[in-house]
Each structure stands twice: as structure tokens, then as C-alpha cells.
Amino acid sequence: MHMPGAAPSRGVAYAEGRYMPLEEATIAMLDRGFVRSDATYDVVHVWKGRFFRLEDHLDRFERSVAGLRMTLPLPREEIAAILHGCVRRAGLADAYVQMALTRGVPPPGTRDPKLCQNRFTAFAQPFVWIANEAQRREGLSLVVTKTQRIPPEAVDPRIKNFHWLDLTMGIFEAQDRGADVPLLPDRDGNLTEGPGFNVFALHGRTLVTPDRGMFEGMTRRSVIELAPELQLAVEERALHASELARAEEIFLTSTAGGIMPVSRLDGAPVGEGRPGPVTRAMHDLYWRRHEEGWLATPVDYEGG
Ligand SMILES: Cc1ncc(COP(=O)(O)O)c(C=O)c1O
């Protein structure tokens, strides 16, 4: 959905102190963010003209930046203003909004990350859905991959990062097995996450979600907070692949799409092979709260 009167836009980016069409934005080839995946980022969404959990996303971004021993070149209020600025200039009512900090370019002749000037970039583009319309209606097919997620002892998954080669190879593995999306286990067979989403399994009235080896998604947090309203308990703990296989319902969570049902796991139906009532109820509650303005910040479309 676009703002009335605004030209449809593929997105607007901010880099090096100015705004530009997203398709024209580039990263310096020697930036360690590009050549070493030495970067962190966060993604917040805008729905019907309002950011969702903007302050929580900014908090998480600041924690990630500190975790990588980087420094933001701008104060938090200016970062928020730039995010508003990208959405405003893109004329979007529903948007996927990224902020990123790359390590920057080391001075010639060195490789010392401390000597780099960290670079802030941002963009807003039309809202992104991990699952297409049919998948959201019928449910996704999911496979637990042989590819393991990089261990948290190596790369802290709570710092949102671009270390996606395991997730990307997982996507190929899922496609080779005729499925839509992969879910990566750790080396003990406990589940972690997939490319851009967390996972929940329903057993009775209890939702179980992994508590280690994965990014602590904002949508995951929203589900944990909303669960009591649906008389659901939540357990954050190790979730083994064999336990997922016995789940009555499974759903995935992401800023890029919200609550997404899974109807097949490793080729077999989940429950009755279609989105279950608890998944539907959580989906509806999540989007109803958006309509009601829960944790919402109106986009500053006027500027100033
Ligand atoms: C690896 C990974 N896991 C989980 C998520 C879900 O997090 P959120 O709900 O904050 O979008 C993401 C977000 O894009 C992600 O990249």
C-alpha cells in the first residue's frame, strides 16, 4: 500500500549523509561490511503508516553495535529521523525498513578493525513477505536441514548479522527437497532458526520455542507477550527436531510477514496438514494489535 498521491517507489536509501533511490545506493567495495561480513543491522516494519516497536528495534540495534565494538556516528534521535525520512521519501504506508552499520574501510596498509570509521546506512522498501499469499493461506512446507547453524560460541546470533552462508545453503537444501523453507539445527539436533525467522511448536496449550543458537526476533518477543491473551503458556528451551515432528501446530515468526503457518514438515503433514486454530488466532491477534496501535509510532510524513 502506498500513501495516497505518492508515486509508487521501489524504495529510498540513506548513505553518506544523503537520500537516494534504493536502486542507486552502493557500499564501498573495501568496506569490511562487504568483504568480511563485518556489520550489524536491524529491520523494523511500518504497517499502515506506523512503525511497530521502533524503540525496541533501536535498543536492539544499539546493543548489536556495542556487541561488535562499533560506534554509531549519529545519535539515536537522528537515526530515528533518518528512518522516518526514508519512509517519507519512499511514500510507503507498509514498509520494510533496514538500518545497518558496517565496519568501514581500514586505512591503506592496515587490516585493523579499530582503525575503521563505522558507516551508517538505511533504507525503506515496500513491505517484504517471507511467505507468499498462497503459503500464508495454506501453510509453508518446512524441512529440518543437514546444514547446521553456525554455533553461538563462534558468532553470537543475538547480534543481527550477515553470516548467512549456512542459511543460504539451507535454502538450496530445502528447494532440492521440494520444500519452501529450511530450519537449521545445531550440532545436537536442537533447532535454531531459518533464513529470517524463528520457530514455534504447539503441544497442547504450550508454545515451545528455542532459546539458544538463534536471533531473538522481535516477532518472537511479540508472540511471547501475546500468548497469555490466548491462554497459552510459553516455554523457551531446547527444542529437538524429534519434538518438532510431534507438534500439533508449527508456525514461523518474522518482521517480514508476522506469523506464518507451517503445514508440512519433512514432507509429512503437520496436524491436519493445514494452518491450525492456535496459529490462526495468534496471526489474527498480532495484526489486530497493529490496527489498535500497540507499540506503534506514527511515521512523520510531513517532515520537520
Ligand atoms: C536469522 C534471523 N532469525 C530470526 C529473525 C526474526 O526476527 P524478527 O522477528 O525481529 O524479524 C530474523 C529477522 O530477520 C533473522 O534474520
Side-chain angles (χ1 to χ4, degrees), residues 41 60 160 164 193-194 196-198 215 217-219 253-255:
Y41 73 115
R60 189 172 69 178
K160 198 164 167 65
W164 265 51
E193 61 192 341
F197 56 79
N198 295 111
F215 181 59
M218 204 60 79
T219 324
T253 62
S254 175
T255 292

Side-chain angles (χ1 to χ4, degrees), residues 148-157 161 163 166 184-186 192 213:
Q148 294 172 10
R149 187 73 172 117
I150 194 167
E153 294 80 4
V155 174
D156 183 350
N161 62 64
H163 290 260
D166 48 2
L184 276 65
D186 66 13
T192 62

Side-chain angles (χ1 to χ4, degrees), residues 157-176:
R158 289 168 305 178
I159 299 173
K160 198 164 167 65
N161 62 64
F162 293 143
H163 290 260
W164 265 51
L165 289 180
D166 48 2
L167 296 168
T168 300
M169 295 323 289
I171 293 172
F172 279 108
E173 197 180 326
Q175 289 171 349
D176 290 347

Side-chain angles (χ1 to χ4, degrees), residues 3 6-7 74 96 103 125 129 150 158 171 206 248 255 257 260 302-303:
M3 291 309 288
L74 300 165
Y96 172 107
R103 184 74 63 185
Q125 65 178 1
W129 298 92
I150 194 167
R158 289 168 305 178
I171 293 172
T206 301
E248 288 144 44
T255 292
M260 297 165 285
E302 303 304 319

